[in-house]
Amino acid sequence: MTYLDVARIKEDFPILRREVHGHRLVYLDSASSSQKPIAVLDAMDQMYRTSYANVHRGVYTIAEEATAAYENARTKVARFVNAPSTAELVFTRNATEAINLVAYTWARANLREGDAIVLTHLEHHANVVPWHMLAAERGVEVRWIPMTPDYELDLSNLDALLDGAKLLGVSAMSNVLGTMPPVRQLVDAAHAVGALALVDACQYVPHNVTDVQAWDADFVAFSAHKLLGPTGIGALWGREALLDAMPPFLGGGEMIRDVRLDGFTPNELPWKFEAGTQPIAEAVGFGAAVDYLSALGMDAVRAHEKQLTAYALNALLERFPRTLHIYGPLDVERRGGAVSFLFDEIHAHDVSQVLDEDGVCVRAGHHCAKPLMRVLGVPATTRASFYVYNDETDVDVLVESLAKAEKFFLG
Amino acid sequence: MPGLEDLYREIILDHYRSPRNRGELPVPPAHKVEGFNPLCGDEVVLYLDVDPDTDTVRDVKIAGQGCSISQASTSMMSAAVKGKSVAEARQLIRAFKALMSIHEHKLEGEGDGADLQAELEGVRLGDLEALQGVVKFPVRIKCATLAWNTLQQGLDETG
């Protein structure tokens, strides 16, 4: 069964028409950043050409159009993750800034020495380093939910880890292994001990139907650039009562209701957290990206990627049964489309270099998840990751190119 | 367009598959120094046995892990400096780094690299010249220079 018309979708992405080293571009690095469809490029271009002005300020026509476009984008993004209210959808620079916002406002207002935060071995540096910084500053303890040998979270000791914790931070999908932890179960466990739950959904939102209410989480962070949108914009969804009680993050224009010589009153949600002139065209691009994905249907996107990931896992294991090791669950029901692997005797960077000769783009390295790489005991892996514009032909090119790399280095 | 054979010369692959001077030396008297490439995770460990009386690199052992370029460069470096005087080793470091940076200088429009050519003058790089192809792949230059920066650090620490 075919869930997406990939041949048709490929035509929507101008960059996929170019060649690299005389070969058709095969882009398999969407977990790092995705390519952009014409719909997104046009929406941003159109904004600049016809309706660009600063938002929430001018009373002239194009300023009102720009404001409407910016807020309309917020509504689209809020709906895309089933946020109950647009007041709860704060635009940030990316998921990293969204997590930092929580670390700098909620956490610094509420955590003190001796308090504990629980993270998992799967986390990206974006959901590790802000907490290390807090720990160093405040003497907060960071605890880790470990990983099982089959790349799932080991929840056997969860109650003890959560005992006395104030916050649980978990990735909804690992950018290295593809693992999808049981978010709702973890959120419930956190709430049961009075802790809040923050979900790093940067890898999850682009590839799945996302429902922040079904997760029952307290904060959810994601980026536009991984879901066909532009760089420079992302979002933090948070519960209204929490966001309301939190101190502001950055200070400046837009985030205030009033400023006096002796102080200021913050703006209402969500603008309270949006200081300075915002990435307006990028917000419009973000909205166009979720429109594009919604038109494909996120159920179909997920089904397509499951099918393609299963095809890729099979092809890799069949072609390289003894020399290639896959890091991550093999059951596509329990994983996303980021496939990390390593040849026994060839370094990930050397593999990536040979693949580039064939126009194949993959990521090689530690994927901004060095704690996880240490747990895995490898310095780097090669990662192929799939999206709506990839099909089985792309996987076939990858496999042939890998065979070439193996022959080149191992003879 | 530079091809793979420019980057991965046979001699490089040979050093990668069969690294020379792999092992450890007792510390002390040897000095241990480690170098890391934080972006890609390449790691070089050097054990340097410098004879203080003759100022000679009496023995070198290497360890670590990383891509073929970083590990081959480490192996070739160990073979090149073993038995050399510290002054000769430092000259090799300068010459090798000049070899790796000529391309960058041209990119930055800092002349034709004549000053760098001067560094190379009179230095026998031998097998090391095989690594010259790396400069056509700018992101890989740091793989090739890691061992040499680590050696420099080690010599500075022992000297």
Side-chain angles (χ1 to χ4, degrees), chain B residues 63-127:
Chain B
Q65 53 183 358
C67 71
S68 60
I69 302 299
S70 73
Q71 300 307 302
S73 182
T74 309
S75 169
M76 293 163 90
M77 179 276 288
S78 72
V81 301
K82 191 171 165 177
K84 294 278 196 319
S85 73
V86 169
E88 285 170 323
R90 287 188 184 280
Q91 197 182 18
L92 266 176
I93 293 171
R94 281 196 301 275
F96 186 79
K97 286 167 98 170
L99 187 74
M100 287 296 121
S101 58
I102 280 171
H103 179 72
E104 260 174 72
H105 275 247
K106 279 182 185 162
L107 282 182
E108 288 163 11
E110 293 177 14
D112 55 1
D115 48 333
L116 295 170
Q117 285 294 351
E119 292 283 7
L120 290 166
E121 217 53 47
V123 182
R124 260 203 77 247
L125 283 169
D127 287 353

Side-chain angles (χ1 to χ4, degrees), chain A residues 146-161:
Chain A
M147 189 181 66
T148 66
D150 51 354
Y151 310 106
E152 307 276 356
L153 288 183
D154 177 359
L155 303 180
S156 57
N157 204 26
L158 184 61
D159 291 344
L161 283 169

Side-chain angles (χ1 to χ4, degrees), chain A residues 21 345-347 349-350 353-354 357 365-366 370 379-380 404 407-411, chain B residues 1-4 7-8 13 16-17 38-42 65-68 137 140:
Chain A
H21 305 306
E345 302 286 334
I346 320 173
H347 192 273
H349 285 101
D350 292 320
Q353 189 86 56
V354 176
E357 280 276 301
H366 54 61
K370 289 189 95 166
K404 189 171 127 185
K407 189 160 184 292
F408 187 84
F409 286 102
L410 303 182
Chain B
M1 190 58 67
L4 283 180
L7 182 62
Y8 299 112
L13 293 175
Y16 177 52
R17 290 171 187 145
L39 285 176
C40 54
D42 286 350
Q65 53 183 358
C67 71
S68 60
F137 298 82
R140 305 300 296 273

Side-chain angles (χ1 to χ4, degrees), chain A residues 53-354:
Chain A
N54 213 330
V55 297
H56 303 134
R57 286 160 175 79
V59 289
Y60 45 87
T61 302
I62 59 167
E64 282 174 1
E65 285 176 8
T67 303
Y70 180 73
E71 292 304 329
N72 189 28
R74 188 194 312 278
T75 305
K76 289 174 179 181
V77 174
R79 278 199 193 124
F80 191 67
V81 297
N82 198 30
S85 150
T86 53
E88 298 184 340
L89 199 290
V90 177
F91 281 137
T92 61
R93 197 151 50 94
N94 44 36
T96 298
E97 191 180 82
I99 294 168
N100 274 276
L101 191 161
V102 177
Y104 275 92
T105 61
W106 176 83
R108 278 170 173 76
N110 289 285
L111 300 189
R112 46 199 53 80
E113 191 170 348
D115 283 341
I117 292 171
V118 179
L119 304 172
T120 86
H121 277 174
L122 301 178
E123 301 312 305
H124 185 281
H125 293 165
N127 202 22
V128 173
V129 182
W131 307 115
H132 276 329
M133 289 163 73
L134 180 73
E137 188 186 310
R138 288 287 170 90
V140 168
E141 180 196 354
V142 180
R143 300 173 187 162
W144 300 91
I145 299 176
M147 189 181 66
T148 66
D150 51 354
Y151 310 106
E152 307 276 356
L153 288 183
D154 177 359
L155 303 180
S156 57
N157 204 26
L158 184 61
D159 291 344
L161 283 169
L162 281 171
D163 186 29
K166 294 284 169 65
L167 180 76
L168 166 76
V170 61
S171 165
M173 186 195 285
S174 161
N175 69 314
V176 179
L177 309 172
T179 307
M180 296 162 86
V183 172
R184 177 63 198 244
Q185 184 190 342
L186 286 162
V187 171
D188 286 349
H191 287 168
V193 299
L196 298 189
L198 178 150
V199 181
D200 174 1
C202 204
Q203 294 290 332
Y204 187 93
V205 173
H207 307 282
N208 296 274
V209 176
T210 304
D211 184 340
V212 298
Q213 298 184 63
W215 274 340
D216 200 32
D218 300 290
F219 300 107
V220 175
F222 55 104
S223 291
H225 75 93
K226 290 198 204 299
L227 52 79
L228 311 181
T231 52
I233 192 159
L236 172 70
W237 171 82
R239 285 182 193 279
E240 191 163 352
L242 288 169
L243 294 175
D244 240 347
M246 281 153 57
F249 180 30
L250 301 174
E254 181 85 3
M255 52 72 69
I256 46 86
R257 175 175 296 162
D258 187 26
V259 184
R260 301 167 305 276
L261 289 177
D262 64 349
F264 77 100
T265 312
N267 204 339
E268 56 195 61
L269 294 174
W271 307 288
K272 169 182 164 183
F273 293 106
E274 295 178 2
T277 292
Q278 294 298 296
I280 301 162
E282 284 77 3
V284 170
F286 197 172
V290 302
D291 276 350
Y292 184 92
L293 287 169
S294 299
L296 296 177
M298 290 310 291
D299 280 319
V301 170
R302 170 69 180 142
H304 165 73
E305 287 176 17
K306 272 201 289 194
Q307 199 174 43
L308 191 56
T309 304
Y311 180 83
L313 292 171
N314 265 330
L316 290 170
L317 292 171
E318 220 164 77
R319 186 66 174 261
F320 313 103
R322 278 176 296 278
T323 48
L324 183 129
H325 185 75
I326 290 173
Y327 294 87
L330 294 178
D331 177 5
V332 294
E333 296 299 330
R334 305 174 69 83
R335 61 163 300 142
V339 180
S340 269
F341 55 87
L342 207 51
F343 283 103
D344 288 340
E345 302 286 334
I346 320 173
H347 192 273
H349 285 101
D350 292 320
V351 171
S352 180
Q353 189 86 56
V354 176

